[in-house]
Amino acid sequence: MSVKIEESWKHELHAEFGKTYFQQLVDFVKLEYQNQTIYPAGKDIFRAFDACPFDQVKVVILGQDPYHGPGQANGLCFSVRKGMTFPPSLVNIFKEIKDDIGKDIPPHGALDRWAEQGVLLLNSTLTVRAHQAGSHQNRGWETFTDAVIQALAVRKTHVVYMLWGSYAQKKAAAVSAQDNLILKAPHPSPLSAYRGFLGCKHFSKANDYLQSQRLNPIFW
């Protein structure tokens, strides 16, 4: 089936689009958009891929669900639209960047600038019902995003994986630590950030590694 996704990702993931689970997922998601309020907007479902082509991926950050409040989700994990209040996890991410590399907290929480530099901001589940966290889990998205990580693990090396929380760490468990940099920390949510996310220095570590591989660092 034809999927509107960036061309390099379409090439890498074309086998998934023909599988039964994906067709069932598409049917489910279409019905949900017709009958419910769903986030993000339909045009932004694959925005993480559109903003960061396969060949440009240097860093992978894994989230779980899109934000389920009005106007928040924009297709990039942990990111919100300009003008939106920063969610608590994003507050802690910016706080860690400030403490780690001294960069001031930005005026908005849209992380497009990261994606454009090669940061794949990937949620495990790409859609959600308004005000219902986890409502589109176990419908096929996880199988699809597992295939995304598998494609990266097989065909790309020297990628930085920032794995925050046990969910992300399990999802990327098959990625080679010999061929890539695996950075693990607790999730940046207020419930766990003080157990090791704050102070993890992932952002400077990522840039040090990229520079050691003669790649441009990320301007966080």
Side-chain angles (χ1 to χ4, degrees):
M1 65 179 299
S2 179
V3 175
K4 292 182 179 179
I5 192 171
E6 191 274 334
E7 283 300 319
S8 65
W9 283 108
K10 182 177 285 190
H11 174 75
E12 294 295 334
L13 301 170
H14 70 276
E16 297 303 305
F17 302 141
K19 293 181 179 179
T20 301
Y21 89 86
F22 194 84
Q23 181 60 65
Q24 292 172 340
L25 171 62
V26 168
D27 292 344
F28 166 74
V29 170
K30 283 181 177 178
L31 199 60
E32 286 285 283
Y33 274 94
Q34 290 170 9
N35 295 297
Q36 305 285 339
T37 299
I38 305 298
Y39 300 124
K43 64 182 177 59
D44 290 334
I45 293 174
F46 294 113
R47 191 154 170 264
F49 305 95
D50 297 336
C52 183
F54 183 86
D55 294 338
Q56 296 178 23
V57 175
K58 296 192 290 189
V59 178
V60 177
I61 298 177
L62 295 178
Q64 194 162 356
D65 261 11
Y67 295 122
H68 53 82
Q72 289 181 304
N74 66 0
L76 308 177
C77 75
F78 294 108
S79 176
V80 291
R81 296 186 178 282
K82 291 181 180 180
M84 298 299 298
T85 301
F86 297 172
S89 291
L90 189 57
V91 170
N92 285 330
I93 288 169
F94 287 148
K95 185 174 190 293
E96 175 58 22
I97 291 172
K98 170 74 170 172
D99 292 345
D100 183 11
I101 60 175
K103 186 176 186 297
D104 289 337
I105 293 173
H108 60 78
L111 302 180
D112 304 64
R113 63 190 181 279
W114 294 6
E116 290 162 3
Q117 297 176 79
V119 182
L120 180 65
L121 295 160
L122 180 66
N123 276 315
S124 178
T125 302
L126 300 188
T127 54
V128 69
R129 281 189 187 183
H131 309 299
Q132 295 184 41
S135 50
H136 283 189
Q137 290 177 5
N138 303 313
R139 293 288 188 165
W141 279 132
E142 294 91 342
T143 302
F144 175 71
T145 50
D146 282 349
V148 171
I149 294 169
Q150 181 66 16
L152 289 165
V154 169
R155 291 189 274 282
K156 286 188 72 73
T157 56
H158 310 309
V159 174
V160 180
Y161 290 81
M162 293 183 171
L163 307 178
W164 302 333
S166 59
Y167 185 90
Q169 290 162 20
K170 289 175 184 174
K171 192 166 183 69
V175 176
S176 168
Q178 290 184 323
D179 299 323
N180 305 279
L181 178 63
I182 311 295
L183 298 174
K184 297 181 180 180
H187 195 276
S189 76
L191 296 174
S192 55
Y194 289 91
R195 298 205 296 266
F197 176 80
L198 296 174
C200 69
K201 298 190 180 301
H202 279 189
F203 301 94
S204 60
K205 289 176 181 177
N207 278 351
D208 288 347
Y209 178 80
L210 291 173
Q211 289 177 297
S212 77
Q213 302 301 321
R214 300 183 179 179
L215 297 169
N216 290 332
I218 306 299
F219 183 71
W220 298 107

